[in-house]
Amino acid sequence: MFEDRPARDNEIVLVGRSNVGKSTIMRELTGHAVPTGKKPGVTRKPNHFDWSGESFMFTDLPGFGFMSGVEGEHQETIQTDIVHYLEDNAEGILAAVLVVDGKSVIDIIDRHSERGNIPHDVEMFHFLEELDIPVVVAVNKMDKVDDKDQRLNDLCDRLGLFPPWQQWQDDTIAPITAKKGRINSLREALSHHLHEAKRDDLLQFVKK
């Protein structure tokens, strides 16, 4: 079980598969370097970033799903810990950013579905909704995607959202390229959820 969580009332969490860019997004949002690496599974415990005097933080949760070089049993332990963390802290989570790789997410979802499995990304999206945690799907690495609108429409379809994706861009679907610092759509969506939660005092942490 994840321990050493800072005593903060509210947080925004980042969740997603390994190697989709969560730590890079965390760095863009906080201006603070967090451990990243080409090898999936670098983040094994939550990375928290908070501000003194503020009862708020960003939390980068470990990647879930397949990780090369990580034993299956350990992968499952991490996934269980992520689920427990979200359940235990749901009341204070103002928004969850579900990060996916725009280039590969549809193939991954379809591959799992064809095998009769519920894809992790889809399962996590609905799990967060069940916990009443507002979800923003940050579709990362969009600079590597040619048919952007089609890809985003397909993603909406897989998540059970009616296309076109543009109707979800204010609060749910945020196409970004974190490595190049292009995360404005994510900032806007998070601003929307903070405003809805009547926490305009926190907008300074998601706006540039």
PDB file of all heavy atoms in Angstrom, residues 99-134:
ATOM      1  N   VAL A  99      -3.997   9.789 -18.525  1.00  0.00           N
ATOM      2  CA  VAL A  99      -3.095  10.051 -19.645  1.00  0.00           C
ATOM      3  C   VAL A  99      -3.025   8.830 -20.560  1.00  0.00           C
ATOM      4  O   VAL A  99      -2.821   7.706 -20.094  1.00  0.00           O
ATOM      5  CB  VAL A  99      -1.678  10.400 -19.138  1.00  0.00           C
ATOM      6  CG1 VAL A  99      -0.787  10.832 -20.318  1.00  0.00           C
ATOM      7  CG2 VAL A  99      -1.737  11.517 -18.096  1.00  0.00           C
ATOM      8  N   VAL A 100      -3.227   9.059 -21.861  1.00  0.00           N
ATOM      9  CA  VAL A 100      -3.112   7.978 -22.843  1.00  0.00           C
ATOM     10  C   VAL A 100      -2.180   8.426 -23.962  1.00  0.00           C
ATOM     11  O   VAL A 100      -1.980   9.622 -24.183  1.00  0.00           O
ATOM     12  CB  VAL A 100      -4.486   7.565 -23.432  1.00  0.00           C
ATOM     13  CG1 VAL A 100      -5.422   7.076 -22.335  1.00  0.00           C
ATOM     14  CG2 VAL A 100      -5.131   8.712 -24.217  1.00  0.00           C
ATOM     15  N   ASP A 101      -1.602   7.461 -24.658  1.00  0.00           N
ATOM     16  CA  ASP A 101      -0.729   7.723 -25.805  1.00  0.00           C
ATOM     17  C   ASP A 101      -1.604   7.815 -27.050  1.00  0.00           C
ATOM     18  O   ASP A 101      -2.177   6.817 -27.492  1.00  0.00           O
ATOM     19  CB  ASP A 101       0.284   6.578 -25.932  1.00  0.00           C
ATOM     20  CG  ASP A 101       1.297   6.799 -27.046  1.00  0.00           C
ATOM     21  OD1 ASP A 101       0.942   7.430 -28.068  1.00  0.00           O
ATOM     22  OD2 ASP A 101       2.433   6.322 -26.911  1.00  0.00           O
ATOM     23  N   GLY A 102      -1.711   9.024 -27.607  1.00  0.00           N
ATOM     24  CA  GLY A 102      -2.599   9.239 -28.743  1.00  0.00           C
ATOM     25  C   GLY A 102      -2.304   8.345 -29.924  1.00  0.00           C
ATOM     26  O   GLY A 102      -3.198   7.970 -30.691  1.00  0.00           O
ATOM     27  N   LYS A 103      -1.048   7.978 -30.087  1.00  0.00           N
ATOM     28  CA  LYS A 103      -0.661   7.172 -31.248  1.00  0.00           C
ATOM     29  C   LYS A 103      -1.082   5.708 -31.109  1.00  0.00           C
ATOM     30  O   LYS A 103      -1.467   5.067 -32.078  1.00  0.00           O
ATOM     31  CB  LYS A 103       0.860   7.267 -31.417  1.00  0.00           C
ATOM     32  CG  LYS A 103       1.344   6.767 -32.763  1.00  0.00           C
ATOM     33  CD  LYS A 103       2.798   7.142 -32.945  1.00  0.00           C
ATOM     34  CE  LYS A 103       3.441   6.357 -34.025  1.00  0.00           C
ATOM     35  NZ  LYS A 103       3.440   6.524 -35.295  1.00  0.00           N
ATOM     36  N   SER A 104      -1.033   5.167 -29.889  1.00  0.00           N
ATOM     37  CA  SER A 104      -1.254   3.726 -29.730  1.00  0.00           C
ATOM     38  C   SER A 104      -2.520   3.337 -28.973  1.00  0.00           C
ATOM     39  O   SER A 104      -2.888   2.168 -28.944  1.00  0.00           O
ATOM     40  CB  SER A 104      -0.040   3.104 -29.016  1.00  0.00           C
ATOM     41  OG  SER A 104       0.098   3.643 -27.714  1.00  0.00           O
ATOM     42  N   VAL A 105      -3.205   4.310 -28.370  1.00  0.00           N
ATOM     43  CA  VAL A 105      -4.294   3.963 -27.443  1.00  0.00           C
ATOM     44  C   VAL A 105      -5.417   3.155 -28.096  1.00  0.00           C
ATOM     45  O   VAL A 105      -5.927   2.195 -27.512  1.00  0.00           O
ATOM     46  CB  VAL A 105      -4.858   5.223 -26.741  1.00  0.00           C
ATOM     47  CG1 VAL A 105      -5.523   6.190 -27.730  1.00  0.00           C
ATOM     48  CG2 VAL A 105      -5.839   4.831 -25.634  1.00  0.00           C
ATOM     49  N   ILE A 106      -5.804   3.496 -29.326  1.00  0.00           N
ATOM     50  CA  ILE A 106      -6.907   2.774 -29.976  1.00  0.00           C
ATOM     51  C   ILE A 106      -6.520   1.325 -30.236  1.00  0.00           C
ATOM     52  O   ILE A 106      -7.294   0.393 -29.963  1.00  0.00           O
ATOM     53  CB  ILE A 106      -7.326   3.464 -31.302  1.00  0.00           C
ATOM     54  CG1 ILE A 106      -7.753   4.913 -31.062  1.00  0.00           C
ATOM     55  CG2 ILE A 106      -8.455   2.682 -31.972  1.00  0.00           C
ATOM     56  CD1 ILE A 106      -8.922   5.088 -30.106  1.00  0.00           C
ATOM     57  N   ASP A 107      -5.298   1.117 -30.736  1.00  0.00           N
ATOM     58  CA  ASP A 107      -4.822  -0.255 -30.990  1.00  0.00           C
ATOM     59  C   ASP A 107      -4.790  -1.074 -29.706  1.00  0.00           C
ATOM     60  O   ASP A 107      -5.190  -2.242 -29.690  1.00  0.00           O
ATOM     61  CB  ASP A 107      -3.416  -0.220 -31.607  1.00  0.00           C
ATOM     62  CG  ASP A 107      -3.426   0.332 -33.020  1.00  0.00           C
ATOM     63  OD1 ASP A 107      -4.506   0.327 -33.639  1.00  0.00           O
ATOM     64  OD2 ASP A 107      -2.368   0.778 -33.493  1.00  0.00           O
ATOM     65  N   ILE A 108      -4.301  -0.455 -28.628  1.00  0.00           N
ATOM     66  CA  ILE A 108      -4.216  -1.164 -27.341  1.00  0.00           C
ATOM     67  C   ILE A 108      -5.608  -1.543 -26.840  1.00  0.00           C
ATOM     68  O   ILE A 108      -5.857  -2.673 -26.431  1.00  0.00           O
ATOM     69  CB  ILE A 108      -3.475  -0.303 -26.296  1.00  0.00           C
ATOM     70  CG1 ILE A 108      -1.995  -0.188 -26.666  1.00  0.00           C
ATOM     71  CG2 ILE A 108      -3.621  -0.907 -24.902  1.00  0.00           C
ATOM     72  CD1 ILE A 108      -1.215   0.816 -25.824  1.00  0.00           C
ATOM     73  N   ILE A 109      -6.532  -0.588 -26.885  1.00  0.00           N
ATOM     74  CA  ILE A 109      -7.904  -0.849 -26.422  1.00  0.00           C
ATOM     75  C   ILE A 109      -8.536  -1.964 -27.251  1.00  0.00           C
ATOM     76  O   ILE A 109      -9.127  -2.905 -26.710  1.00  0.00           O
ATOM     77  CB  ILE A 109      -8.760   0.439 -26.495  1.00  0.00           C
ATOM     78  CG1 ILE A 109      -8.326   1.420 -25.393  1.00  0.00           C
ATOM     79  CG2 ILE A 109     -10.252   0.114 -26.354  1.00  0.00           C
ATOM     80  CD1 ILE A 109      -9.017   2.771 -25.459  1.00  0.00           C
ATOM     81  N   ASP A 110      -8.398  -1.872 -28.577  1.00  0.00           N
ATOM     82  CA  ASP A 110      -9.034  -2.865 -29.454  1.00  0.00           C
ATOM     83  C   ASP A 110      -8.419  -4.255 -29.287  1.00  0.00           C
ATOM     84  O   ASP A 110      -9.124  -5.265 -29.328  1.00  0.00           O
ATOM     85  CB  ASP A 110      -8.927  -2.420 -30.922  1.00  0.00           C
ATOM     86  CG  ASP A 110      -9.834  -1.232 -31.222  1.00  0.00           C
ATOM     87  OD1 ASP A 110     -10.634  -0.863 -30.335  1.00  0.00           O
ATOM     88  OD2 ASP A 110      -9.738  -0.662 -32.324  1.00  0.00           O
ATOM     89  N   ARG A 111      -7.107  -4.284 -29.065  1.00  0.00           N
ATOM     90  CA  ARG A 111      -6.433  -5.565 -28.883  1.00  0.00           C
ATOM     91  C   ARG A 111      -6.959  -6.280 -27.632  1.00  0.00           C
ATOM     92  O   ARG A 111      -7.238  -7.465 -27.651  1.00  0.00           O
ATOM     93  CB  ARG A 111      -4.921  -5.339 -28.776  1.00  0.00           C
ATOM     94  CG  ARG A 111      -4.088  -6.578 -29.056  1.00  0.00           C
ATOM     95  CD  ARG A 111      -2.654  -6.223 -29.413  1.00  0.00           C
ATOM     96  NE  ARG A 111      -1.973  -5.479 -28.381  1.00  0.00           N
ATOM     97  CZ  ARG A 111      -1.377  -4.301 -28.578  1.00  0.00           C
ATOM     98  NH1 ARG A 111      -1.406  -3.738 -29.763  1.00  0.00           N
ATOM     99  NH2 ARG A 111      -0.753  -3.701 -27.597  1.00  0.00           N
ATOM    100  N   HIS A 112      -7.114  -5.528 -26.553  1.00  0.00           N
ATOM    101  CA  HIS A 112      -7.635  -6.118 -25.314  1.00  0.00           C
ATOM    102  C   HIS A 112      -9.096  -6.535 -25.488  1.00  0.00           C
ATOM    103  O   HIS A 112      -9.508  -7.593 -25.013  1.00  0.00           O
ATOM    104  CB  HIS A 112      -7.514  -5.118 -24.157  1.00  0.00           C
ATOM    105  CG  HIS A 112      -6.136  -5.064 -23.573  1.00  0.00           C
ATOM    106  ND1 HIS A 112      -5.746  -5.833 -22.508  1.00  0.00           N
ATOM    107  CD2 HIS A 112      -5.054  -4.341 -23.925  1.00  0.00           C
ATOM    108  CE1 HIS A 112      -4.484  -5.582 -22.221  1.00  0.00           C
ATOM    109  NE2 HIS A 112      -4.040  -4.674 -23.072  1.00  0.00           N
ATOM    110  N   SER A 113      -9.871  -5.689 -26.158  1.00  0.00           N
ATOM    111  CA  SER A 113     -11.290  -5.986 -26.363  1.00  0.00           C
ATOM    112  C   SER A 113     -11.476  -7.253 -27.177  1.00  0.00           C
ATOM    113  O   SER A 113     -12.359  -8.069 -26.901  1.00  0.00           O
ATOM    114  CB  SER A 113     -11.986  -4.806 -27.066  1.00  0.00           C
ATOM    115  OG  SER A 113     -11.924  -3.656 -26.258  1.00  0.00           O
ATOM    116  N   GLU A 114     -10.625  -7.429 -28.210  1.00  0.00           N
ATOM    117  CA  GLU A 114     -10.719  -8.619 -29.067  1.00  0.00           C
ATOM    118  C   GLU A 114     -10.439  -9.899 -28.291  1.00  0.00           C
ATOM    119  O   GLU A 114     -10.944 -10.961 -28.610  1.00  0.00           O
ATOM    120  CB  GLU A 114      -9.736  -8.498 -30.240  1.00  0.00           C
ATOM    121  CG  GLU A 114     -10.240  -7.581 -31.352  1.00  0.00           C
ATOM    122  CD  GLU A 114      -9.114  -7.120 -32.268  1.00  0.00           C
ATOM    123  OE1 GLU A 114      -8.010  -7.707 -32.197  1.00  0.00           O
ATOM    124  OE2 GLU A 114      -9.338  -6.169 -33.046  1.00  0.00           O
ATOM    125  N   ARG A 115      -9.620  -9.772 -27.245  1.00  0.00           N
ATOM    126  CA  ARG A 115      -9.314 -10.941 -26.408  1.00  0.00           C
ATOM    127  C   ARG A 115     -10.385 -11.175 -25.347  1.00  0.00           C
ATOM    128  O   ARG A 115     -10.266 -12.079 -24.524  1.00  0.00           O
ATOM    129  CB  ARG A 115      -7.976 -10.738 -25.695  1.00  0.00           C
ATOM    130  CG  ARG A 115      -6.768 -10.732 -26.606  1.00  0.00           C
ATOM    131  CD  ARG A 115      -5.510 -10.563 -25.763  1.00  0.00           C
ATOM    132  NE  ARG A 115      -4.356 -10.211 -26.574  1.00  0.00           N
ATOM    133  CZ  ARG A 115      -3.372  -9.421 -26.160  1.00  0.00           C
ATOM    134  NH1 ARG A 115      -3.412  -8.897 -24.966  1.00  0.00           N
ATOM    135  NH2 ARG A 115      -2.353  -9.172 -26.941  1.00  0.00           N
ATOM    136  N   GLY A 116     -11.374 -10.327 -25.338  1.00  0.00           N
ATOM    137  CA  GLY A 116     -12.445 -10.476 -24.355  1.00  0.00           C
ATOM    138  C   GLY A 116     -12.140  -9.828 -23.018  1.00  0.00           C
ATOM    139  O   GLY A 116     -12.836 -10.051 -22.022  1.00  0.00           O
ATOM    140  N   ASN A 117     -11.077  -8.997 -22.975  1.00  0.00           N
ATOM    141  CA  ASN A 117     -10.721  -8.302 -21.734  1.00  0.00           C
ATOM    142  C   ASN A 117     -11.221  -6.862 -21.756  1.00  0.00           C
ATOM    143  O   ASN A 117     -11.365  -6.272 -22.828  1.00  0.00           O
ATOM    144  CB  ASN A 117      -9.188  -8.273 -21.561  1.00  0.00           C
ATOM    145  CG  ASN A 117      -8.598  -9.667 -21.513  1.00  0.00           C
ATOM    146  OD1 ASN A 117      -9.211 -10.579 -20.974  1.00  0.00           O
ATOM    147  ND2 ASN A 117      -7.406  -9.836 -22.078  1.00  0.00           N
ATOM    148  N   ILE A 118     -11.457  -6.318 -20.568  1.00  0.00           N
ATOM    149  CA  ILE A 118     -11.779  -4.890 -20.494  1.00  0.00           C
ATOM    150  C   ILE A 118     -10.454  -4.135 -20.490  1.00  0.00           C
ATOM    151  O   ILE A 118      -9.621  -4.359 -19.611  1.00  0.00           O
ATOM    152  CB  ILE A 118     -12.575  -4.556 -19.219  1.00  0.00           C
ATOM    153  CG1 ILE A 118     -13.899  -5.318 -19.184  1.00  0.00           C
ATOM    154  CG2 ILE A 118     -12.836  -3.052 -19.143  1.00  0.00           C
ATOM    155  CD1 ILE A 118     -14.651  -5.188 -17.885  1.00  0.00           C
ATOM    156  N   PRO A 119     -10.216  -3.273 -21.474  1.00  0.00           N
ATOM    157  CA  PRO A 119      -8.941  -2.546 -21.525  1.00  0.00           C
ATOM    158  C   PRO A 119      -8.749  -1.688 -20.273  1.00  0.00           C
ATOM    159  O   PRO A 119      -9.694  -1.082 -19.781  1.00  0.00           O
ATOM    160  CB  PRO A 119      -9.077  -1.674 -22.777  1.00  0.00           C
ATOM    161  CG  PRO A 119     -10.166  -2.318 -23.584  1.00  0.00           C
ATOM    162  CD  PRO A 119     -11.095  -2.930 -22.594  1.00  0.00           C
ATOM    163  N   HIS A 120      -7.511  -1.652 -19.771  1.00  0.00           N
ATOM    164  CA  HIS A 120      -7.217  -0.900 -18.545  1.00  0.00           C
ATOM    165  C   HIS A 120      -7.646   0.559 -18.633  1.00  0.00           C
ATOM    166  O   HIS A 120      -8.187   1.105 -17.666  1.00  0.00           O
ATOM    167  CB  HIS A 120      -5.707  -0.948 -18.234  1.00  0.00           C
ATOM    168  CG  HIS A 120      -5.233  -2.300 -17.812  1.00  0.00           C
ATOM    169  ND1 HIS A 120      -5.830  -3.018 -16.799  1.00  0.00           N
ATOM    170  CD2 HIS A 120      -4.192  -3.061 -18.246  1.00  0.00           C
ATOM    171  CE1 HIS A 120      -5.192  -4.165 -16.635  1.00  0.00           C
ATOM    172  NE2 HIS A 120      -4.193  -4.218 -17.504  1.00  0.00           N
ATOM    173  N   ASP A 121      -7.392   1.199 -19.775  1.00  0.00           N
ATOM    174  CA  ASP A 121      -7.716   2.625 -19.899  1.00  0.00           C
ATOM    175  C   ASP A 121      -9.218   2.857 -19.771  1.00  0.00           C
ATOM    176  O   ASP A 121      -9.660   3.788 -19.098  1.00  0.00           O
ATOM    177  CB  ASP A 121      -7.227   3.160 -21.252  1.00  0.00           C
ATOM    178  CG  ASP A 121      -5.744   2.927 -21.452  1.00  0.00           C
ATOM    179  OD1 ASP A 121      -4.952   3.666 -20.855  1.00  0.00           O
ATOM    180  OD2 ASP A 121      -5.388   1.981 -22.181  1.00  0.00           O
ATOM    181  N   VAL A 122      -9.988   2.008 -20.438  1.00  0.00           N
ATOM    182  CA  VAL A 122     -11.454   2.131 -20.395  1.00  0.00           C
ATOM    183  C   VAL A 122     -11.961   1.837 -18.981  1.00  0.00           C
ATOM    184  O   VAL A 122     -12.816   2.557 -18.448  1.00  0.00           O
ATOM    185  CB  VAL A 122     -12.109   1.160 -21.410  1.00  0.00           C
ATOM    186  CG1 VAL A 122     -13.617   1.205 -21.301  1.00  0.00           C
ATOM    187  CG2 VAL A 122     -11.659   1.507 -22.832  1.00  0.00           C
ATOM    188  N   GLU A 123     -11.403   0.799 -18.387  1.00  0.00           N
ATOM    189  CA  GLU A 123     -11.802   0.413 -17.031  1.00  0.00           C
ATOM    190  C   GLU A 123     -11.507   1.537 -16.039  1.00  0.00           C
ATOM    191  O   GLU A 123     -12.334   1.867 -15.187  1.00  0.00           O
ATOM    192  CB  GLU A 123     -11.033  -0.853 -16.624  1.00  0.00           C
ATOM    193  CG  GLU A 123     -11.504  -1.475 -15.333  1.00  0.00           C
ATOM    194  CD  GLU A 123     -10.797  -2.804 -15.059  1.00  0.00           C
ATOM    195  OE1 GLU A 123      -9.608  -2.953 -15.436  1.00  0.00           O
ATOM    196  OE2 GLU A 123     -11.431  -3.679 -14.466  1.00  0.00           O
ATOM    197  N   MET A 124     -10.330   2.157 -16.156  1.00  0.00           N
ATOM    198  CA  MET A 124      -9.956   3.244 -15.255  1.00  0.00           C
ATOM    199  C   MET A 124     -10.861   4.458 -15.448  1.00  0.00           C
ATOM    200  O   MET A 124     -11.287   5.100 -14.478  1.00  0.00           O
ATOM    201  CB  MET A 124      -8.493   3.635 -15.481  1.00  0.00           C
ATOM    202  CG  MET A 124      -7.998   4.762 -14.577  1.00  0.00           C
ATOM    203  SD  MET A 124      -8.138   4.400 -12.793  1.00  0.00           S
ATOM    204  CE  MET A 124      -6.833   3.188 -12.588  1.00  0.00           C
ATOM    205  N   PHE A 125     -11.195   4.767 -16.699  1.00  0.00           N
ATOM    206  CA  PHE A 125     -12.086   5.895 -16.988  1.00  0.00           C
ATOM    207  C   PHE A 125     -13.420   5.719 -16.266  1.00  0.00           C
ATOM    208  O   PHE A 125     -13.902   6.628 -15.578  1.00  0.00           O
ATOM    209  CB  PHE A 125     -12.298   6.012 -18.509  1.00  0.00           C
ATOM    210  CG  PHE A 125     -13.203   7.135 -18.920  1.00  0.00           C
ATOM    211  CD1 PHE A 125     -12.737   8.440 -18.949  1.00  0.00           C
ATOM    212  CD2 PHE A 125     -14.525   6.889 -19.281  1.00  0.00           C
ATOM    213  CE1 PHE A 125     -13.572   9.489 -19.329  1.00  0.00           C
ATOM    214  CE2 PHE A 125     -15.364   7.917 -19.659  1.00  0.00           C
ATOM    215  CZ  PHE A 125     -14.890   9.225 -19.685  1.00  0.00           C
ATOM    216  N   HIS A 126     -14.001   4.541 -16.389  1.00  0.00           N
ATOM    217  CA  HIS A 126     -15.311   4.298 -15.770  1.00  0.00           C
ATOM    218  C   HIS A 126     -15.201   4.161 -14.249  1.00  0.00           C
ATOM    219  O   HIS A 126     -16.115   4.569 -13.518  1.00  0.00           O
ATOM    220  CB  HIS A 126     -15.966   3.064 -16.391  1.00  0.00           C
ATOM    221  CG  HIS A 126     -16.337   3.277 -17.832  1.00  0.00           C
ATOM    222  ND1 HIS A 126     -17.221   4.257 -18.241  1.00  0.00           N
ATOM    223  CD2 HIS A 126     -15.928   2.650 -18.963  1.00  0.00           C
ATOM    224  CE1 HIS A 126     -17.343   4.226 -19.548  1.00  0.00           C
ATOM    225  NE2 HIS A 126     -16.569   3.264 -20.016  1.00  0.00           N
ATOM    226  N   PHE A 127     -14.092   3.632 -13.773  1.00  0.00           N
ATOM    227  CA  PHE A 127     -13.876   3.516 -12.330  1.00  0.00           C
ATOM    228  C   PHE A 127     -13.834   4.900 -11.690  1.00  0.00           C
ATOM    229  O   PHE A 127     -14.463   5.146 -10.648  1.00  0.00           O
ATOM    230  CB  PHE A 127     -12.573   2.756 -12.064  1.00  0.00           C
ATOM    231  CG  PHE A 127     -12.197   2.670 -10.620  1.00  0.00           C
ATOM    232  CD1 PHE A 127     -12.994   2.008  -9.699  1.00  0.00           C
ATOM    233  CD2 PHE A 127     -11.013   3.251 -10.166  1.00  0.00           C
ATOM    234  CE1 PHE A 127     -12.632   1.927  -8.358  1.00  0.00           C
ATOM    235  CE2 PHE A 127     -10.640   3.179  -8.832  1.00  0.00           C
ATOM    236  CZ  PHE A 127     -11.460   2.520  -7.929  1.00  0.00           C
ATOM    237  N   LEU A 128     -13.118   5.828 -12.314  1.00  0.00           N
ATOM    238  CA  LEU A 128     -13.044   7.197 -11.796  1.00  0.00           C
ATOM    239  C   LEU A 128     -14.416   7.855 -11.814  1.00  0.00           C
ATOM    240  O   LEU A 128     -14.790   8.560 -10.867  1.00  0.00           O
ATOM    241  CB  LEU A 128     -12.041   8.014 -12.619  1.00  0.00           C
ATOM    242  CG  LEU A 128     -10.567   7.631 -12.421  1.00  0.00           C
ATOM    243  CD1 LEU A 128      -9.708   8.192 -13.551  1.00  0.00           C
ATOM    244  CD2 LEU A 128     -10.054   8.115 -11.070  1.00  0.00           C
ATOM    245  N   GLU A 129     -15.169   7.606 -12.875  1.00  0.00           N
ATOM    246  CA  GLU A 129     -16.530   8.151 -12.938  1.00  0.00           C
ATOM    247  C   GLU A 129     -17.399   7.595 -11.811  1.00  0.00           C
ATOM    248  O   GLU A 129     -18.189   8.323 -11.212  1.00  0.00           O
ATOM    249  CB  GLU A 129     -17.158   7.851 -14.301  1.00  0.00           C
ATOM    250  CG  GLU A 129     -16.607   8.707 -15.425  1.00  0.00           C
ATOM    251  CD  GLU A 129     -17.507   8.677 -16.652  1.00  0.00           C
ATOM    252  OE1 GLU A 129     -18.053   7.590 -16.957  1.00  0.00           O
ATOM    253  OE2 GLU A 129     -17.679   9.738 -17.280  1.00  0.00           O
ATOM    254  N   GLU A 130     -17.242   6.302 -11.537  1.00  0.00           N
ATOM    255  CA  GLU A 130     -18.007   5.682 -10.445  1.00  0.00           C
ATOM    256  C   GLU A 130     -17.679   6.310  -9.100  1.00  0.00           C
ATOM    257  O   GLU A 130     -18.532   6.394  -8.211  1.00  0.00           O
ATOM    258  CB  GLU A 130     -17.715   4.173 -10.377  1.00  0.00           C
ATOM    259  CG  GLU A 130     -18.450   3.351 -11.417  1.00  0.00           C
ATOM    260  CD  GLU A 130     -17.966   1.905 -11.437  1.00  0.00           C
ATOM    261  OE1 GLU A 130     -17.435   1.439 -10.404  1.00  0.00           O
ATOM    262  OE2 GLU A 130     -18.093   1.257 -12.488  1.00  0.00           O
ATOM    263  N   LEU A 131     -16.433   6.745  -8.951  1.00  0.00           N
ATOM    264  CA  LEU A 131     -16.014   7.382  -7.698  1.00  0.00           C
ATOM    265  C   LEU A 131     -16.410   8.860  -7.653  1.00  0.00           C
ATOM    266  O   LEU A 131     -16.099   9.559  -6.689  1.00  0.00           O
ATOM    267  CB  LEU A 131     -14.493   7.271  -7.533  1.00  0.00           C
ATOM    268  CG  LEU A 131     -13.915   5.869  -7.315  1.00  0.00           C
ATOM    269  CD1 LEU A 131     -12.387   5.934  -7.270  1.00  0.00           C
ATOM    270  CD2 LEU A 131     -14.446   5.244  -6.031  1.00  0.00           C
ATOM    271  N   ASP A 132     -17.110   9.325  -8.703  1.00  0.00           N
ATOM    272  CA  ASP A 132     -17.496  10.737  -8.817  1.00  0.00           C
ATOM    273  C   ASP A 132     -16.293  11.673  -8.868  1.00  0.00           C
ATOM    274  O   ASP A 132     -16.355  12.797  -8.363  1.00  0.00           O
ATOM    275  CB  ASP A 132     -18.432  11.158  -7.666  1.00  0.00           C
ATOM    276  CG  ASP A 132     -19.845  10.645  -7.870  1.00  0.00           C
ATOM    277  OD1 ASP A 132     -20.257  10.511  -9.040  1.00  0.00           O
ATOM    278  OD2 ASP A 132     -20.528  10.363  -6.873  1.00  0.00           O
ATOM    279  N   ILE A 133     -15.210  11.186  -9.446  1.00  0.00           N
ATOM    280  CA  ILE A 133     -14.031  12.028  -9.656  1.00  0.00           C
ATOM    281  C   ILE A 133     -14.074  12.536 -11.098  1.00  0.00           C
ATOM    282  O   ILE A 133     -14.117  11.740 -12.031  1.00  0.00           O
ATOM    283  CB  ILE A 133     -12.728  11.233  -9.426  1.00  0.00           C
ATOM    284  CG1 ILE A 133     -12.643  10.745  -7.972  1.00  0.00           C
ATOM    285  CG2 ILE A 133     -11.512  12.082  -9.779  1.00  0.00           C
ATOM    286  CD1 ILE A 133     -11.477   9.809  -7.703  1.00  0.00           C
ATOM    287  N   PRO A 134     -14.096  13.853 -11.313  1.00  0.00           N
ATOM    288  CA  PRO A 134     -14.086  14.368 -12.684  1.00  0.00           C
ATOM    289  C   PRO A 134     -12.834  13.887 -13.421  1.00  0.00           C
ATOM    290  O   PRO A 134     -11.730  13.941 -12.880  1.00  0.00           O
ATOM    291  CB  PRO A 134     -14.055  15.889 -12.497  1.00  0.00           C
ATOM    292  CG  PRO A 134     -14.582  16.122 -11.118  1.00  0.00           C
ATOM    293  CD  PRO A 134     -14.146  14.946 -10.312  1.00  0.00           C
TER     294      PRO A 134
END
